[in-house]
Amino acid sequence: MEIFYILDASAFINGFQLDFGNNFTVPEITSEIKDFESRLKFDAALNENKLTILDVADEYIKSVEKIISKSGDVLRLSVPDKKLISLAYMMFDEGKNVKVISDDYTIQNTLKIIGIPYSGIITEGIKGVYNWKKVCEGCKKEYDEDYPFDDCEICGSKIFKKRIKVNK
Ligand SMILES: [Zn+2]
């Protein structure tokens, strides 16, 4: 089954190879590709008909917002990010075999929640849904993300931030 690739700005910036004509993005991504080399690649892909810019119907954006409303990621997503995810959701809904190419952790995390396949170019793609925790270097006591101090209240050791996988 043919794979339809949905490309984030990072796909162009980090050098994703566009081989066939099955690559898609949203109009808003265009403004996020600013450096000269990525811009050339982007324009060439358009001229060679390897890339199609598609807009997304509002109903799909609303559906995505609804699905991710319980996740903190909804606040971190930019308008282009949200539209890109909605495009993937729309094509996925049409029964197409889609894969989003993005190195953005917030996008990847959101896709994970929705259940749409993705791949990073630089990052390998996170394998679970993650949250941050603060952990003491000394006694390993765990603190909530909003614990305001750099030192452990029990042993006085340094506290570091750690990504933890949560089961959903
Ligand atoms: Zn401690």
Side-chain angles (χ1 to χ4, degrees), residues 11 17 20 30 37 43 61 63 73 86 97 106 108 137 147:
Q17 290 296 320
F20 308 104
T30 318
E37 209 177 309
D43 290 341
I61 299 170
S63 302
D73 289 323
S86 302
N97 189 14
T106 309
Q108 293 184 351
E137 223 172 52
Y147 178 70

Side-chain angles (χ1 to χ4, degrees), residues 136-141 143 152-159:
C136 170
E137 223 172 52
C139 69
K140 310 290 180 210
K141 178 178 164 58
Y143 292 90
C152 176
E153 61 180 13
I154 312 282
C155 71
S157 300
K158 261 196 156 166
I159 284 168

Side-chain angles (χ1 to χ4, degrees), residues 4-8 24-26 54-57 60-61 63-64 67 80-102 107 110-112 114-118:
F4 292 82
Y5 293 99
I6 319 279
L7 308 183
D8 178 21
F24 299 84
T25 195
V26 292
L54 280 182
D55 219 339
V56 195
Y60 289 103
I61 299 170
S63 302
V64 165
I67 296 169
D81 292 349
K82 220 184 279 179
K83 286 200 79 171
L84 190 88
I85 291 164
S86 302
L87 175 65
Y89 182 70
M90 182 180 86
M91 294 176 79
F92 188 70
D93 192 56
E94 289 166 353
K96 293 191 172 90
N97 189 14
V98 302
K99 189 172 220 180
V100 177
I101 306 296
S102 174
I107 292 180
T110 305
L111 291 166
K112 180 86 194 173
I114 301 174
I116 292 176
Y118 57 83

